[in-house]
């Protein structure tokens, strides 16, 4: 049964949840391994419909063979496909990675651009990937990264009713302070993996339950 208790306004709730997430996951950061912006870009493209852990197993050999955009742009496509095969959808990913790096070489002097409009002009790069790269490679909070965890939890927490990632992002950007846009996403991802799972959310041990309209009653720690 869904809770019908009174909750604070969205703005007040999201700021309190953000505070709690920072306390729960103080060391939360991007879980992809990379050394340069182009490596982060490539790793993020590979992470689509694939776990970060799997990507991190693939990228050491990939980056040893192709350490920069010039090498990614020039490597034979078949070899690139082999290097990224275990991440799934490898033909499309390899094609996009190579096309993106070729444009980085020809249009941006081999350096990953730092503007949203330039990033989303690259093959395989939508706002989600661009937000990750801008935040973690350049320290620029241009938007809120919306992956499957952020989408699910933002709906459960009542901060959006949308399913489209761009509309969800807009709703969250209105509620959160800009400096916290990316740290909201990264910590919500950690919470989605550890507690608020897709099929069986652990509401009984969730420290956000009292602020969540989807949490069942009685609340964790209360007497039934």
């Amino acid at each position: 049964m869904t809770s019908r208790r009174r909750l604070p306004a969205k703005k007040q709730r999201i700021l309190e949840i953000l505070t709690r997430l920072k306390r729960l996951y103080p060391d939360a950061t991007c879980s992809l391994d990379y050394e340069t912006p182009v490596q982060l870009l490539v790793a993020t493209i590979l992470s689509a419909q694939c776990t970060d852990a799997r990507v991190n197993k693939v990228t050491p050999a990939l980056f040893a063979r192709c350490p920069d955009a010039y090498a990614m742009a020039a490597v034979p496509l078949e070899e690139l496909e082999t290097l990224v095969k275990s991440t799934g959808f490898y033909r499309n990913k390899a094609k996009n990675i190579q096309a993106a790096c070729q444009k980085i070489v020809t249009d941006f002097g081999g350096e990953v651009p730092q503007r949203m409009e330039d990033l989303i002009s690259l093959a395989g790069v939508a706002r989600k990937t661009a937000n990750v790269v801008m935040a973690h490679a350049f320290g620029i909070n241009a938007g809120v990264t919306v992956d499957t965890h952020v989408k699910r939890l933002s709906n459960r927490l009542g901060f959006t009713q949308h399913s489209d990632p761009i509309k969800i992002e807009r709703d969250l950007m209105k509620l959160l302070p800009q400096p916290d846009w990316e740290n909201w996403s990264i910590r919500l991802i950690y919470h989605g993996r550890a507690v608020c799972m897709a099929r069986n959310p652990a509401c009984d041990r969730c420290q956000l339950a009292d602020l969540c309209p989807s949490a069942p009653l009685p609340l964790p720690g209360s007497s039934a």
Side-chain angles (χ1 to χ4, degrees):
M1 181 177 178
T2 302
S3 164
R4 293 172 183 258
R5 63 193 175 280
R6 289 189 178 184
L7 293 170
K10 285 183 181 180
K11 187 82 171 182
Q12 183 181 346
R13 280 197 305 119
I14 203 167
L15 293 177
E16 174 58 27
I17 287 172
L18 178 64
T19 297
R20 294 186 192 183
L21 288 171
K22 288 179 180 180
R23 185 172 65 245
L24 288 168
Y25 310 103
D27 301 319
T29 187
C30 179
S31 53
L32 294 168
D33 295 336
Y34 66 95
E35 293 183 357
T36 66
V38 72
Q39 289 183 0
L40 176 58
L41 176 71
V42 169
T44 308
I45 292 173
L46 291 175
S47 71
Q49 296 178 286
C50 181
T51 65
D52 290 355
R54 166 55 57 185
V55 173
N56 289 338
K57 290 181 180 179
V58 167
T59 49
L62 174 62
F63 295 155
R65 174 66 177 87
C66 305
D68 55 29
Y70 292 94
M72 290 280 183
V75 69
L77 183 58
E78 295 79 8
E79 184 178 353
L80 186 55
E81 288 176 351
T82 300
L83 286 165
V84 305
K85 188 171 184 178
S86 67
T87 66
F89 304 95
Y90 66 95
R91 287 193 176 92
N92 194 49
K93 289 180 180 179
K95 179 181 175 183
N96 284 336
I97 287 168
Q98 185 152 79
C101 287
Q102 287 170 347
K103 186 166 185 176
I104 288 170
V105 169
T106 58
D107 292 10
F108 303 107
E111 301 294 330
V112 175
Q114 298 187 28
R115 298 194 310 165
M116 176 64 71
E117 54 265 44
D118 293 332
L119 279 166
I120 62 175
S121 75
L122 302 175
V125 179
R127 281 193 64 92
K128 172 190 165 184
T129 297
N131 280 330
V132 170
V133 172
M134 292 182 73
H136 295 286
F138 304 120
I140 301 170
N141 285 304
V144 179
T145 300
V146 179
D147 78 337
T148 55
H149 296 290
V150 175
K151 176 180 177 180
R152 181 176 72 254
L153 271 67
S154 295
N155 272 273
R156 283 180 177 170
L157 289 165
F159 297 128
T160 184
Q161 295 181 333
H162 296 296
S163 58
D164 178 69
I166 292 179
K167 292 180 179 178
I168 293 171
E169 181 182 9
R170 288 174 183 159
D171 286 344
L172 294 173
M173 288 167 70
K174 292 175 185 175
L175 293 169
L176 290 161
Q178 185 171 355
D180 290 303
W181 284 352
E182 184 60 20
N183 99 39
W184 164 266
S185 295
I186 203 74
R187 287 176 169 83
L188 212 61
I189 289 167
Y190 273 62
H191 196 68
R193 290 172 178 163
V195 179
C196 194
M197 288 77 73
R199 293 187 179 180
N200 296 300
C203 298
D204 60 322
R205 58 181 177 87
C206 179
Q207 295 190 42
L208 310 180
D210 60 309
L211 296 171
C212 178
S214 301
L217 290 172
L219 291 174
S222 64
S223 55

